[in-house]
Amino acid sequence: IVKKGQPNYVIVIPSLTLGGAEHQAVQYARALLRKGMARPILVGLGRDGLLTTRLDDLDIAYTNFNARPFFGANRFKKALTVLRFAFFLRSLQPDTIIGFTYWPNLLCGLAWRMSGAKRFFWNQRSVDSTIAMTTWEKLVMQLGPNYMSNGLAGMNFIEERHKLPKGSVALIPNAVNLPVLQHKKEESRDGANAVNLLMTANFYPEKDHATLLRALRLYLDREDALSVHLHLVGGAPGHSPNLINAKAMTFDLRLDNHVTFHGKVSDMTPILTGVHIGILSTRSEGVSNAILEYMAYGLPVLATDIIANREALGPAQAEWLFPVEDAERLADMLAAIIAHPDRVAIGKANRNYVERRHALAIFEQCLHEALSTEQH
């Protein structure tokens, strides 16, 4: 997949499956192609998945590396995996390497000097406060990476964690494709039409689907004027039991007729154009692609009150944030937003906000400036 001509920018992601970080990695690759800056190559550290089909359609090069021996292994096997990865990267003749999420950042940070790359960007996507600082990460710090982040929370976190001077982390906002919106018919207040809710998130423990399901049950026990239906989009990476647990909980809470599990969805447009409210009940988050996508489609959003979600929604929407794991408060907010007389105006304000901060042109300009700046 290596060709002569433009420099190769290697973008390393957790796996070639559909997910928030992977989606943004594709945006990076497409921006590089549009700007004619370089030839992007995506590298997954796990199994192939639905992302490969999209990459084929976009004519973006990709490959895979088995990094499994690095996880949970002894120091010798970890070091051997780093060496293997360095020679693997070297075969791609990288000019620049960009990591996405903690483990790709760590592996790239350890291997990039041996790969022949001119520079590496540690790309901070979230606040990983639960991950302990290791000798390996301290070594990465000594090897002189460059830094970027998709939000202020991640930027501040990595500046403090890696003891960086203020202003040394390039801020690259998540890119959002802004659809052309058509007028959405308002549902009636007499129960003739359903209010459709949506949560887009893979079934990781931190996404906390359980709180949302409990809140929906509480809401339905109080209100019966409207038919409410929850659409859940996302898979169970690594055969996680969380999806099975969520389905079992749906049955136990008598929500079978009110919840649809869509699994992984490659084209969200039909679902997003048919729902009325976006929800994210996550315990922790980077800058959420799901929230930005809800906003791009002109939806009001309910989300947990964590730093990243406050940043994504903006100060004007702070009243629609609820405490983590608080099903009672979420049920109250569901009742409030469903009965709100001007819900469409809230959605329009969200659309305007995301358009000002996350349009493709803004993202591409920030990325271009970060990659064009002479650094390490």
Side-chain angles (χ1 to χ4, degrees), residues 112 118-123 144-148 168 375-376:
W112 77 277
K118 295 177 182 177
R119 58 185 177 170
F120 156 64
F121 283 89
W122 177 293
N123 192 352
N146 298 291
Y147 291 88
M148 57 175 60
S168 59
Q375 300 189 51
H376 299 305

Side-chain angles (χ1 to χ4, degrees), residues 177-251:
N177 295 312
L178 295 167
V180 177
L181 298 182
Q182 297 182 358
H183 177 69
K184 186 179 293 185
K185 183 181 178 181
E186 273 287 278
E187 65 281 351
S188 67
R189 304 294 169 186
D190 59 4
N193 296 310
V195 175
N196 289 303
L197 316 175
L198 170 65
M199 178 157 155
T200 303
N202 285 327
F203 285 80
Y204 295 117
E206 65 270 18
K207 299 302 181 181
D208 193 17
H209 291 79
T211 291
L212 174 54
L213 293 172
R214 284 195 293 269
L216 180 59
R217 181 69 267 166
L218 289 170
Y219 170 80
L220 291 171
D221 288 343
R222 304 171 191 169
E223 310 280 344
D224 57 4
L226 282 174
S227 174
V228 175
H229 199 91
L230 171 62
H231 298 265
L232 296 176
V233 174
H239 305 290
S240 166
N242 294 290
L243 175 55
I244 295 173
N245 293 341
K247 289 182 177 180
M249 190 174 185
T250 299
F251 176 80

Side-chain angles (χ1 to χ4, degrees), residues 102-137:
Y102 180 78
W103 293 109
N105 279 331
L106 187 64
L107 273 172
C108 291
L110 292 167
W112 77 277
R113 289 282 186 182
M114 296 179 283
S115 72
K118 295 177 182 177
R119 58 185 177 170
F120 156 64
F121 283 89
W122 177 293
N123 192 352
Q124 186 68 33
R125 312 297 297 179
S126 62
V127 177
D128 300 316
S129 55
T130 60
I131 299 177
M133 175 69 75
T134 64
T135 302
W136 301 98
E137 188 173 346

Side-chain angles (χ1 to χ4, degrees), residues 6 38 43 55-56 61 117 122 144 146 148 161 174 181 206 224 231 268 282 295 306 310 319 322 339 363:
Q6 291 177 319
V43 174
L55 295 174
D56 286 333
W122 177 293
N146 298 291
M148 57 175 60
R161 184 178 176 97
N174 278 17
L181 298 182
E206 65 270 18
D224 57 4
H231 298 265
M268 286 291 296
T282 184
M295 297 170 77
I306 57 178
R310 277 185 170 269
E319 65 178 297
F322 58 93
F363 156 75

